[in-house]
Amino acid sequence: MDRSASASIPSATANGPLVSFPLPSFLTPFIQGKDFSSYYTTAAILVSLLILEQAVYRYKKRHLPGAKWTIPIIGKFADSMSPSMEAYKRQWQSGDLSAVSVFNIFIVMASSNEYARKILNSPTYAEPCLVHSAKQILLPENWVFLTGKTHVEYRRGLNALFTRKALGTYVPIQESICRKHLARWLEAAKKNPKEAQPIMMTARHMNMETSLGVFCGKHIPEHAAEEINEKYWAITQSLELVNFPLALPGTKVYKAIQARKVALHWLELAAHNSKIAMANGAEPECMLDEWVASLADPNYKGRKEFSDHEMAMVLFSFLFASQDAMSSGLIYGFQHLADHPEVMAKVREEQERVRGGDYNQPLTMEMMDKMVYLQAAVKESMRVKPPVLMVPYKATRAFPIADDYTVPANSMVIPSFFNSLHDPEVYPNPEEFVPERWLDPEGSANANPKNYLVFGSGPHRCIGLEYATMNIALVLGMAAAMMTWEHEVTPQSHLSEIIATIFPKDGCRLKLTPTNHAQ
């Protein structure tokens, strides 16, 4: 039996459709003449681009762990908009190096200590890029984006701002502002003594006033500090890992740029006033004064001329670190002491001993040096809950990071710090909060400083790490003397602050009670 369809169909209808049905009228233009051809061509181009996108991703990824295919165009955008610690841990645990793509930005994640340090210590292959909007907010000419010899020389000049002598100048400012804010916290707690209060924004407010006081001293008016503090949250929100990149009115980046303009205006004025004061023979009372004085020192060998704008940009970059990373570190410090009453008791005992029972005497660097257990508690707190989990870098050229893999040029490469800080071979029981691990000079924690990446490594290691650590210790020590507190655990209490806004404004809640030393 002949089963050929064409054998029994008349020639007039052999090439026609076997089934006929009416097409919607809106499709008619696309199937007629040139319109159909344009539609087909456009569709073919789009399909080709999508195929090319997948091919390029697979080529760059090679054998690295990661999704075999990337979601067209957006990649892992949805995941980046709602990051979670669990998702990051899965990524890190997938391999020492792993790959991901977001909006066609190819990203290599480095989770091991070896690869994280290699990125941080390879300025000829990679430079810090923070997030896409960072240069728009901090300004592309900001010193934090410098590389090579220019960056080294610029940074060398800033080292004078964090000498022991300079830090000693800052202590009275830090203590005065800390006492004032803790007293405010206690006064607010009196109104609702049984109710825990959120401390994130109040801690940030204290850090902002402390930073501006240390950086600018009396050279910035009080109302200016309040204005900067009020507007700075817009800057924090704009520096999320993924954000709308264009500074259109109403966007986070646009609002941040307006806030930056306000901050730089006042910081430039402070730099101008400091130069005048120091020229008139005043003694250094703040960071700007220390900077101007160091430039005037005949023994100073570096660059001696900095405009008000350049000085303001440096201070603005310091504000960024003190507002986000330092606030996060401080909040987790409060949580850890509340969650470990045995540690809190030791901190209080040390405060009593070092201060000799006199809580009204001014703090000094020498007194801070004697608070060894407090310093160990701060160091451990930042290890368990690092204020910064990762710092995005950009590969400026093909980066042979491993024997069998080269990061493509212009890719993002992100060193992650969490695994280094939770290595069980270096920190036994790494999830546990144990300040005592830092008291033994021969212990594995102190014997492996390369694992402690809280402040990064290499040429871009945090320049203000002593200042940040000292400020957190000062606040926690003063708080332990002035009050007791209980931690009301919430679902957000133990989120690591991957980006500043992942920590909800009411995520950390404390119930405060004054001690006899509150006054």
Side-chain angles (χ1 to χ4, degrees):
M1 179 178 178
D2 187 357
R3 298 182 181 274
S4 171
S6 59
S8 59
I9 298 177
S11 60
T13 60
N15 295 324
L18 296 179
V19 180
S20 177
F21 57 88
L23 291 173
S25 58
F26 70 87
L27 289 178
T28 303
F30 297 107
I31 62 173
Q32 294 179 348
K34 294 181 180 180
D35 288 329
F36 176 74
S37 177
S38 299
Y39 175 74
Y40 180 83
T41 302
T42 301
I45 292 174
L46 289 176
V47 171
S48 299
L49 289 175
L50 292 175
I51 293 174
L52 177 63
E53 176 188 39
Q54 301 298 324
V56 170
Y57 168 74
R58 291 290 296 269
Y59 174 77
K60 290 181 176 180
K61 186 178 98 66
R62 294 175 59 189
H63 64 277
L64 293 187
K68 292 183 178 180
W69 308 98
T70 183
I71 300 173
I73 302 175
I74 65 172
K76 291 286 187 178
F77 173 71
D79 291 347
S80 64
M81 288 299 291
S82 55
S84 70
M85 194 62 189
E86 291 72 21
Y88 277 105
K89 284 183 177 180
R90 286 195 298 271
Q91 183 79 29
W92 299 329
Q93 291 166 2
S94 67
D96 291 347
L97 295 173
S98 59
V100 67
S101 178
V102 179
F103 277 126
N104 282 318
I105 300 173
F106 184 72
I107 302 170
V108 174
M109 304 284 285
S111 62
S112 71
N113 183 261
E114 175 191 357
Y115 290 132
R117 290 183 60 82
K118 192 165 187 178
I119 295 167
L120 297 170
N121 289 278
S122 299
T124 57
Y125 289 105
E127 63 182 22
C129 62
L130 299 180
V131 297
H132 182 79
S133 59
K135 288 188 177 181
Q136 292 177 277
I137 309 304
L138 300 178
L139 295 178
E141 65 269 27
N142 199 303
W143 80 284
V144 298
F145 300 115
L146 297 177
T147 58
K149 184 179 179 181
T150 306
H151 173 262
V152 172
E153 292 178 349
Y154 205 111
R155 183 185 175 102
R156 186 181 295 122
L158 299 179
N159 286 335
L161 309 183
F162 299 100
T163 62
R164 182 173 175 84
K165 175 180 175 293
L167 292 174
T169 302
Y170 309 152
V171 169
I173 302 172
Q174 293 169 278
E175 181 186 17
S176 174
I177 295 172
C178 175
R179 284 183 181 273
K180 180 177 72 173
H181 278 264
L182 292 181
R184 287 180 183 173
W185 291 15
L186 289 171
E187 191 63 31
K190 285 182 181 179
K191 299 176 182 178
N192 296 289
K194 296 183 179 181
E195 183 176 342
Q197 303 293 324
I199 71 158
M200 178 182 173
M201 297 310 290
T202 52
R204 288 174 63 88
H205 189 183
M206 176 171 61
N207 270 344
M208 175 62 81
E209 187 173 341
T210 301
S211 297
L212 290 175
V214 167
F215 300 164
C216 305
K218 300 175 182 177
H219 304 311
I220 188 170
E222 186 174 343
H223 68 87
E226 289 293 334
E227 185 177 11
I228 294 174
N229 183 62
E230 177 185 345
K231 295 181 181 299
Y232 198 91
W233 183 248
I235 294 172
T236 294
Q237 290 181 306
S238 73
L239 292 171
E240 295 171 341
L241 189 59
V242 177
N243 230 323
F244 186 75
L246 303 180
L248 301 178
T251 63
K252 292 180 180 180
V253 174
Y254 176 85
K255 293 176 182 177
I257 290 174
Q258 306 313 306
R260 180 249 295 158
K261 291 177 180 178
V262 170
L264 286 184
H265 166 74
W266 291 115
L267 294 175
E268 287 179 30
L269 177 62
H272 178 75
N273 291 341
S274 175
K275 290 176 181 177
I276 293 175
M278 299 310 291
N280 290 333
E283 289 294 320
E285 296 181 351
C286 64
M287 185 176 288
L288 274 172
D289 292 347
E290 290 285 350
W291 193 355
V292 175
S294 70
L295 296 177
D297 188 337
N299 297 318
Y300 179 71
K301 303 298 183 182
R303 176 183 168 190
K304 290 183 174 289
E305 296 293 332
F306 288 86
S307 68
D308 296 344
H309 179 67
E310 287 177 305
M311 287 185 157
M313 282 196 298
V314 169
L315 298 187
F316 187 66
S317 71
F318 292 168
L319 276 184
F320 168 60
S322 64
Q323 277 307 96
D324 296 315
M326 197 160 72
S327 292
S328 177
L330 179 59
I331 290 167
Y332 284 125
F334 273 106
Q335 286 190 5
H336 281 132
L337 291 186
D339 295 341
H340 297 83
E342 73 287 356
V343 174
M344 175 80 82
K346 292 179 181 180
V347 168
R348 286 207 172 95
E349 183 278 327
E350 184 178 68
Q351 291 295 303
E352 180 72 16
R353 174 165 41 81
V354 171
R355 296 170 184 267
D358 182 0
Y359 288 87
N360 292 317
Q361 65 171 315
L363 278 174
T364 63
M365 283 293 292
E366 290 69 28
M367 292 173 67
M368 294 296 299
D369 290 341
K370 295 177 182 178
M371 299 177 186
V372 178
Y373 190 80
L374 174 62
Q375 293 173 20
V378 170
K379 193 167 187 177
E380 178 72 348
S381 179
M382 290 193 288
R383 182 197 67 80
V384 176
K385 294 288 186 182
V388 177
L389 289 175
M390 60 190 80
V391 178
Y393 274 62
K394 178 183 178 181
T396 54
R397 53 194 287 198
F399 183 1
I401 194 170
D403 292 340
D404 60 350
Y405 186 76
T406 297
V407 178
N410 297 316
S411 300
M412 187 177 286
V413 55
I414 304 181
S416 305
F417 306 150
F418 187 86
N419 285 0
S420 294
L421 294 166
H422 289 75
D423 185 342
E425 294 186 7
V426 177
Y427 311 108
N429 302 314
E431 299 298 328
E432 294 185 10
F433 176 67
V434 186
E436 285 76 9
R437 74 171 85 240
W438 298 102
L439 300 180
D440 180 5
E442 306 300 324
S444 60
N446 285 310
N448 293 277
K450 290 184 177 181
N451 273 74
Y452 197 76
L453 292 179
V454 170
F455 296 99
S457 179
H460 288 275
R461 187 175 186 232
C462 177
I463 192 173
L465 64 94
E466 289 92 354
Y467 166 74
T469 302
M470 183 177 70
N471 190 64
I472 294 173
L474 186 150
V475 173
L476 292 177
M478 186 68 68
M482 293 179 62
M483 62 192 189
T484 61
W485 62 90
E486 299 176 24
H487 175 208
E488 182 181 280
V489 179
T490 70
Q492 295 81 25
S493 289
H494 298 292
L495 286 175
S496 286
E497 193 172 7
I498 300 167
I499 51 174
T501 50
I502 199 177
F503 201 139
K505 293 185 180 182
D506 62 349
C508 178
R509 301 177 68 86
L510 302 179
K511 186 184 297 183
L512 311 177
T513 306
T515 66
N516 294 332
H517 306 299
Q519 300 304 320

